[in-house]
Amino acid sequence: MEKSCTLLVHFDKGTPALANEIKEALEGNDVEAKIEAMKKAIMILLNGDTIPQLFITIIRYVLPSEDHTVQKLLLLYLEIIDKTDSRGKVLPEMILICQNLRNNLQSPNEYIRGVTLRFLCRLNEAEIVEPLIPSILANLEHRHPFVRRNAVSAVMSVYRLPQGEQLLVDAPEIIDRFLASEQDPSSKRNAFLMLFNCAQDRAVSYLFTHVDRIIDWAEQLQMVVLELIRKVCRVNKGEKGKYIKVIISLLNAQSSAVVYECANTLVSLSSAPTAIRAAANTYCQLLLSQSDNNVKLIVLDRINELKASHREILVELVMDVLRAVSSPNLDIRRKTLDIVLDLITPGNIDEVVMMLKKEVVKTQGAELEKNGEYRQMLVQAIYSCAVKFPAVASTVVHPLMDFLGDTNLASAMDVAIFVREIIETNPKLRVSIITRLLDTFYQIRTSRVCTYALWIIGEYCLSLSEVESGIATIKQCLGELPFYTASEESEAQDVSKNSQVVNSSTVSSRRPVVLADGTYATQSAALETAMSAPVLVQGSLASVGNLRSLILSGDFFLESVVACTLTKLVLRLDEVQPSKVEVNKATTQALLIMVSMLQLGQSSVLPHPIDNDSQDRIVLCIRTLCNKDEEVKKIWLKSCRESCVKMLEDKKLREIEESRAMAQISNAQPDDLIDFYHLKSRKGMSQLELEDEVQDDLKRATGEFVKDGDDANKLNRILQLTGFSDPVYAEAYVTNLFLELATMGDLKLVERPQNYTLAPESTKQIKANIKVSSTETGVIFGNIVYETSNVLERTVIVLNNIHIDIMDYISPSSCADVLFRTMWAEFEWENKVAISTVIKDEKDFLNHIVKATNMKCLTPPSALEGECGVLAANLYAKSVFGEDALVNVSVEKQADGKLSGYIRIRSKTQGIALSLGDKITLKQKGGP
């Protein structure tokens, strides 16, 4: 017989004399000391140590006690101790406790009766229980419901013993009569549960006898009814129709828990549109009525599961689901928006977008803590809607452009990317978008957003008026030239010298950053003290143009973007402006601006000089404007935009491929039975049953009921633990776990190994639960210890080690480039692996690493085209524990044909960075 599963709690036994101290405390008259002694004895027993000398002491000095706490601890002690010998026979001393248990069952105190009856539910020895059966049955008529409910549980436990049906032959009939007359909800629930487990026909009969009053039953009894329905319908699917009617009637119950379980049961038993629609409506009502965030998240998970198989029904309820964004919790809002975006159709897109626009407006009015993050989610949702349904772009793009000047950089960036894509994919909106962008450009206060806006201005200002307005806007935001005067430079030099004397000079920090293509660059940040501030008279921030203030802060990359935009605008002006005088004037002004920016970068006014990349780009712009070659003009005015178009096409192609990969392909078998719905007999079937039949037929036709087994995968993952020549052969298969027990403080979770008796040539399957909390590589090791009947000594077989592979816990995933770079900058753990491989081709090496690490390459295929001897790519994966794994591969082909470079791994935790690095080191060599 298997022993009861026990949670073992760590207890330090202290000195060996502890047993004697417990014995002395139990023999004394102090009740508090006796309670503490009983607790210590129980803790020692739970840790696997037996104290046989205490049993007689407890019988003599604890059994007669009338204290309720002592009696409860006594029952716990009796539950833990071994009551049988090695042959399975009840120990003789156990007879001593039977009389005490009988006295407790007849005690005038209902608490003593109740806890004793509850103790009897945990006894598996029929010899101890049999003399107590008359007392147990007598307690079914006790006046107090606490006693009656535990008496019913005791009857069920006795009846379910191996010899229980002989001990209590008429138990189902007794409980059936008890259920008919009982009024206490908990007692009725226990009685119905007993019939459900031991006499299912009687439980079903009682249910349909009182089905008209089921809505008035107590919550706990309704929950057992739902459990009964699930069990019956799994065995006998033909009777599903009449039970579904009971479930639908329970959807009007007062308890939210019952209503939730009704919806779950409906979804698991029926595919009929009526039933699914009722379940979906129930989920939506719970979503809006419940205040607990955890409940909302659970309900959203159920809606998400329903969406996978019944999307057309949830489309009707999309607005009800969307109302969940009224919750202030960001996780609920994020999950709600993810669900809604998969449910938008041409019929509901207008309502959804209108609701999202209202939410965006709300984020402007209230100054809440996470408004910026919520606004970013809304912008991304509207962006997705506009990409899927271009017709709504005209209604959302202009309101969103107001957020280009948002203080939240992430949401402003999303709006800029959205505007860039919409202006390319919707040519009709180009004029209005450019006009609005030029009008609101001065409001942008962040460098990254300015670069996007400048690129759009340079590429999509096509007419004469637009080009002139674009040049005028940039000039206005740059302000008067030059950016500094000679006197200001000399003052800045003096201040710099003084600051060096007092050791308060500008502190410049440089750190590597990863660019969009995966390559590295150096980013500089200047920290200035009050004494070393450069003397630049800028006035207030509001009175200075946004471009001027950003450039004077030392943003040289923005300078190069301004130069490129001016170059494009002047080159286009040369095409659309018939007057060469105006063209020459604009060219002169643009050259003056570029030269001024170069002078600013080379001066001592700013804390650090201009970088080489930005300087080369500005110089290139100056040369282009001085010599307007037609071929060069074609590159500036056409090739850049064509690259953007290609990037958008690649992005759309990747999204299509991902959606295809996620789509479930189901095929019917050629010899499957075909049921013709219109030829079936409909006699006695309700509309719900007819719908259910149709849905089942459709599932069979599309192969949804057919699930490919993973036996082949299991066979590939079996690990041999012992050799074929060992007396005991063992092998293991590692699976994922679903149950987790956690402890706090100094408590430790222990799982004691159990002994088994094996006959010759017999087999035994054993499960061991191991908690895995991170992806750090681990090793499982152990032994098999056995004894035979002929040999008294023990034999030990050492098992092979089981290495927990990180590949079992990570899976390929996608993330945006902006998010990748953000996480790369934030994550503190980095593992750098030098490339050492026999593979000669860069792309083959990248594909080998992607396959070996089970990661996804975020760098689009178009960016990896060509043969230049250098390759950089970003890889991403997510673990089952929610950990992010970021990998950057930088490869270069040497003159001798070998590959060199580094693979950098970054993560938030040390374990995944080290484990993934070890895996790459092991697998990267490639070759045969």
Side-chain angles (χ1 to χ4, degrees):
M1 289 178 60
E2 291 188 3
K3 296 184 179 179
S4 301
C5 178
T6 308
L7 177 67
L8 303 182
V9 184
H10 175 71
F11 175 72
D12 189 2
K13 293 178 291 189
T15 61
L18 185 60
N20 293 330
E21 296 176 6
I22 295 173
K23 187 175 180 181
E24 291 177 5
L26 293 176
E27 291 174 351
N29 295 324
D30 187 353
V31 175
E32 293 298 328
K34 195 171 289 189
I35 290 173
E36 289 300 318
M38 285 297 296
K39 287 181 180 180
K40 290 179 181 178
I42 291 171
M43 296 290 273
I44 292 174
L45 286 171
L46 284 174
N47 276 270
D49 294 326
T50 58
I51 321 175
Q53 65 269 30
L54 284 183
F55 182 78
I56 298 300
T57 303
I58 289 174
I59 293 298
R60 290 181 60 189
Y61 296 101
V62 178
L63 207 64
S65 174
E66 295 182 358
D67 184 80
H68 290 179
T69 304
V70 172
Q71 285 295 321
K72 185 175 181 178
L73 291 171
L74 171 64
L75 294 175
L76 285 175
Y77 172 81
L78 294 176
E79 180 185 342
I80 296 168
I81 61 173
D82 289 327
K83 305 169 191 66
T84 57
D85 56 20
S86 57
R87 295 171 299 173
K89 299 291 184 180
V90 175
L91 296 171
E93 54 264 32
M94 288 298 112
I95 305 301
L96 297 174
I97 68 171
C98 285
Q99 183 60 41
N100 178 69
L101 294 175
R102 185 184 294 108
N103 293 338
N104 285 354
L105 293 176
Q106 297 171 357
S107 169
N109 185 281
E110 57 269 10
Y111 175 77
I112 296 296
R113 288 196 183 205
V115 294
T116 305
L117 288 166
R118 196 159 54 193
F119 163 73
L120 294 178
C121 295
R122 300 179 179 90
L123 283 183
N124 297 321
E125 291 75 25
E127 293 88 341
I128 300 177
V129 174
E130 185 176 5
L132 305 176
I133 290 177
S135 300
I136 294 173
L137 295 177
N139 279 294
L140 289 173
E141 301 176 359
H142 193 272
R143 59 178 179 79
H144 202 283
F146 176 70
V147 177
R148 295 198 303 273
R149 84 171 71 118
N150 285 295
V152 173
S153 299
V155 170
M156 179 173 67
S157 300
V158 172
Y159 190 76
R160 297 181 73 177
L161 291 174
Q163 306 89 4
E165 294 186 13
Q166 288 78 30
L167 297 176
L168 272 171
V169 180
D170 54 349
E173 184 179 351
I174 294 172
I175 298 300
D176 200 0
R177 291 198 302 268
F178 173 85
L179 183 60
S181 59
E182 181 59 41
Q183 300 299 321
D184 177 60
S186 298
S187 302
K188 290 182 71 173
R189 180 258 181 197
N190 288 359
F192 190 83
L193 184 63
M194 188 273 176
L195 295 180
F196 163 46
N197 288 307
C198 305
Q200 189 172 295
D201 293 340
R202 288 181 179 271
V204 171
S205 175
Y206 179 83
L207 171 63
F208 284 102
T209 303
H210 303 84
V211 71
D212 296 336
R213 290 179 289 172
I214 191 172
I215 196 68
D216 300 324
W217 288 0
E219 173 188 343
Q220 56 265 47
L221 183 55
Q222 291 174 339
M223 296 289 277
V224 180
V225 167
L226 291 172
E227 190 177 347
L228 170 67
I229 291 173
R230 284 194 293 268
K231 182 178 180 181
V232 172
C233 291
R234 275 196 294 267
V235 177
N236 190 358
K237 295 183 179 180
E239 298 183 0
K240 190 165 55 175
K242 62 180 182 181
Y243 288 104
I244 288 178
K245 296 174 185 175
V246 177
I247 298 171
I248 291 178
S249 67
L250 280 175
L251 286 175
N252 299 318
Q254 298 295 322
S255 169
S256 299
V258 173
V259 172
Y260 172 75
E261 284 300 325
C262 282
N264 289 346
T265 308
L266 266 182
V267 173
S268 64
L269 296 182
S270 176
S271 301
T274 303
I276 299 300
R277 192 172 286 108
N281 276 315
T282 301
Y283 287 143
C284 291
Q285 291 170 8
L286 290 172
L287 196 59
L288 299 176
S289 62
Q290 296 301 306
S291 57
D292 192 313
N293 289 337
N294 293 320
V295 174
K296 287 178 180 284
L297 289 170
I298 292 171
V299 172
L300 284 170
D301 285 336
R302 299 289 84 77
I303 293 175
N304 196 32
E305 292 171 3
L306 206 59
K307 171 175 66 70
S309 53
H310 302 281
R311 181 179 181 276
E312 66 284 349
I313 293 176
L314 281 177
V315 164
E316 304 169 8
L317 304 171
V318 65
M319 295 307 296
D320 293 328
V321 177
L322 188 55
R323 289 190 183 93
V325 296
S326 59
S327 170
N329 184 275
L330 279 181
D331 292 328
I332 294 174
R333 287 171 163 172
R334 184 179 294 107
K335 190 167 287 191
T336 301
L337 291 174
D338 289 342
I339 293 172
V340 168
L341 290 178
D342 288 336
L343 298 175
I344 54 176
T345 63
N348 59 30
I349 182 65
D350 292 333
E351 289 182 285
V352 171
V353 169
M354 187 180 299
M355 180 80 169
L356 294 176
K357 286 164 62 178
K358 289 180 180 178
E359 289 296 316
V360 171
V361 173
K362 288 180 184 177
T363 61
Q364 287 179 290
E367 289 297 328
L368 298 178
E369 182 182 353
K370 295 187 177 179
N371 255 0
E373 193 173 346
Y374 178 43
R375 189 184 306 126
Q376 182 186 359
M377 285 192 288
L378 292 171
V379 169
Q380 291 173 347
I382 294 173
Y383 173 35
S384 300
C385 293
V387 170
K388 290 181 181 179
F389 299 93
V392 302
S394 59
T395 63
V396 297
V397 66
H398 295 102
L400 286 183
M401 289 180 70
D402 293 335
F403 293 99
L404 286 171
D406 195 354
T407 53
N408 185 304
L409 175 60
S411 60
M413 285 280 294
D414 287 335
V415 173
I417 295 171
F418 171 55
V419 172
R420 183 184 65 183
E421 184 167 344
I422 292 300
I423 199 172
E424 174 58 39
T425 56
N426 293 265
K428 295 180 180 178
L429 300 176
R430 186 191 64 81
V431 176
S432 60
I433 290 176
I434 284 294
T435 304
R436 185 66 174 266
L437 181 59
L438 293 174
D439 290 341
T440 58
F441 183 79
Y442 71 94
Q443 299 175 354
I444 303 174
R445 293 292 172 184
T446 54
S447 175
R448 295 283 298 278
V449 181
C450 275
T451 58
Y452 278 94
L454 287 169
W455 188 90
I456 294 171
I457 291 172
E459 291 293 336
Y460 295 97
C461 287
L462 303 180
S463 66
L464 177 60
S465 60
E466 291 170 351
V467 172
E468 291 176 343
S469 298
I471 295 174
T473 300
I474 294 174
K475 287 174 57 182
Q476 181 182 358
C477 292
L478 287 173
E480 294 295 329
L481 299 178
F483 292 103
Y484 68 96
T485 62
S487 60
E488 289 172 348
E489 183 177 15
S490 61
E491 289 177 13
Q493 290 175 349
D494 294 339
V495 170
S496 177
K497 291 178 182 177
N498 294 334
S499 63
Q500 290 175 5
V501 174
V502 296
N503 293 325
S504 59
S505 60
T506 301
V507 179
S508 177
S509 65
R510 302 172 69 86
R511 66 186 182 93
V513 294
V514 65
L515 301 178
D517 61 351
T519 57
Y520 274 77
T522 301
Q523 184 183 69
S524 301
L527 304 175
E528 302 164 5
T529 60
M531 295 185 65
S532 62
V535 184
L536 289 174
V537 183
Q538 297 185 25
S540 65
L541 187 64
S543 63
V544 179
N546 53 346
L547 290 180
R548 187 182 187 90
S549 61
L550 291 170
I551 288 173
L552 289 177
S553 67
D555 194 336
F556 299 117
F557 177 71
L558 181 60
E559 284 187 3
S560 66
V561 176
V562 171
C564 290
T565 304
L566 287 173
T567 303
K568 291 178 184 178
L569 291 175
V570 171
L571 291 177
R572 186 162 285 114
L573 184 65
D574 194 21
E575 292 184 347
V576 298
Q577 173 61 266
S579 173
K580 295 302 177 183
V581 176
E582 294 296 329
V583 174
N584 292 335
K585 182 180 178 181
T587 304
T588 305
Q589 292 173 343
L591 289 172
L592 179 60
I593 292 172
M594 296 177 197
V595 171
S596 299
M597 289 191 295
L598 282 177
Q599 288 180 339
L600 175 67
Q602 295 169 354
S603 70
S604 58
V605 172
L606 297 181
H608 53 87
I610 187 170
D611 59 278
N612 293 332
D613 290 341
S614 300
Q615 181 173 334
D616 292 345
R617 179 60 63 89
I618 296 174
V619 170
L620 176 63
C621 294
I622 294 174
R623 288 175 178 172
T624 302
L625 291 182
C626 291
N627 184 17
K628 299 175 183 176
D629 184 78
E630 290 299 324
E631 290 298 324
V632 175
K633 187 186 294 185
K634 183 179 178 181
I635 294 173
W636 280 91
L637 298 182
K638 292 184 179 179
S639 298
C640 296
R641 186 168 171 183
E642 289 172 357
S643 300
C644 177
V645 172
K646 188 175 182 181
M647 181 194 70
L648 295 176
E649 289 175 351
D650 288 343
K651 178 186 174 185
K652 190 172 183 180
L653 187 62
R654 289 202 308 270
E655 290 174 352
I656 293 173
E657 290 175 353
E658 288 176 5
S659 61
R660 285 177 180 172
M662 294 175 63
Q664 182 180 2
I665 302 174
S666 300
N667 298 309
Q669 298 300 318
D671 57 348
D672 283 353
L673 179 68
I674 299 176
D675 289 331
F676 292 94
Y677 165 67
H678 291 287
L679 301 181
K680 281 187 176 180
S681 172
R682 306 185 189 182
K683 191 173 182 180
M685 295 179 71
S686 65
Q687 181 63 28
L688 188 63
E689 291 173 287
L690 291 173
E691 291 178 3
D692 218 15
E693 288 286 337
V694 175
Q695 293 298 319
D696 288 348
D697 291 345
L698 286 174
K699 286 184 177 181
R700 290 190 186 94
T702 57
E704 193 170 328
F705 284 154
V706 181
K707 293 184 179 178
D708 296 331
D710 57 346
D711 295 338
N713 293 332
K714 287 185 178 181
L715 289 174
N716 292 333
R717 294 165 61 127
I718 286 180
L719 303 171
Q720 184 178 341
L721 298 180
T722 60
F724 291 112
S725 60
D726 288 320
V728 179
Y729 174 75
E731 59 187 24
Y733 170 64
V734 182
T735 61
N736 290 329
L737 307 181
F738 299 95
L739 175 65
E740 179 179 311
L741 296 176
T743 60
M744 294 181 66
D746 294 329
L747 302 182
K748 296 180 182 178
L749 200 63
V750 181
E751 189 177 82
R752 296 177 62 192
Q754 189 173 338
N755 297 329
Y756 298 96
T757 302
L758 293 182
E761 300 184 4
S762 63
T763 61
K764 183 72 178 177
Q765 289 188 358
I766 306 169
K767 284 187 178 180
N769 293 337
I770 299 172
K771 179 183 175 183
V772 182
S773 57
S774 75
T775 47
E776 188 167 354
T777 303
V779 179
I780 303 172
F781 55 90
N783 306 315
I784 292 178
V785 182
Y786 68 93
E787 299 173 350
T788 62
S789 58
N790 300 327
V791 184
L792 296 178
E793 61 185 25
R794 290 188 172 188
T795 306
V796 179
I797 300 176
V798 180
L799 303 180
N800 290 333
N801 293 343
I802 301 175
H803 291 266
I804 302 300
D805 194 351
I806 187 178
M807 295 300 104
D808 294 334
Y809 300 104
I810 69 170
S811 57
S813 187
S814 299
C815 80
D817 289 340
V818 176
L819 180 59
F820 184 93
R821 289 196 293 274
T822 303
M823 290 190 292
W824 188 273
E826 291 176 353
F827 290 173
E828 56 185 4
W829 290 105
E830 177 174 301
N831 193 359
K832 186 177 180 181
V833 180
I835 292 176
S836 174
T837 180
V838 298
I839 301 174
K840 301 291 186 181
D841 185 75
E842 308 97 302
K843 293 179 185 175
D844 292 343
F845 178 74
L846 175 63
N847 294 333
H848 175 69
I849 293 297
V850 169
K851 184 178 180 182
T853 57
N854 196 27
M855 302 185 79
K856 180 173 181 177
C857 181
L858 299 181
T859 307
S862 59
L864 302 174
E865 291 177 356
E867 299 291 338
C868 62
V870 177
L871 182 145
N874 294 331
L875 312 182
Y876 179 71
K878 208 172 184 67
S879 76
V880 293
F881 309 103
E883 300 167 314
D884 298 291
L886 313 179
V887 173
N888 173 254
V889 182
S890 299
V891 192
E892 182 181 3
K893 181 175 283 190
Q894 300 295 326
D896 57 0
K898 293 183 179 179
L899 299 182
S900 65
Y902 292 96
I903 300 173
R904 289 177 172 85
I905 306 123
R906 285 199 182 183
S907 67
K908 205 169 189 177
T909 57
Q910 182 184 20
I912 195 168
L914 294 177
S915 302
L916 203 53
D918 294 341
K919 188 73 175 179
I920 291 174
T921 303
L922 184 66
K923 295 283 188 180
Q924 69 164 320
K925 289 189 179 295

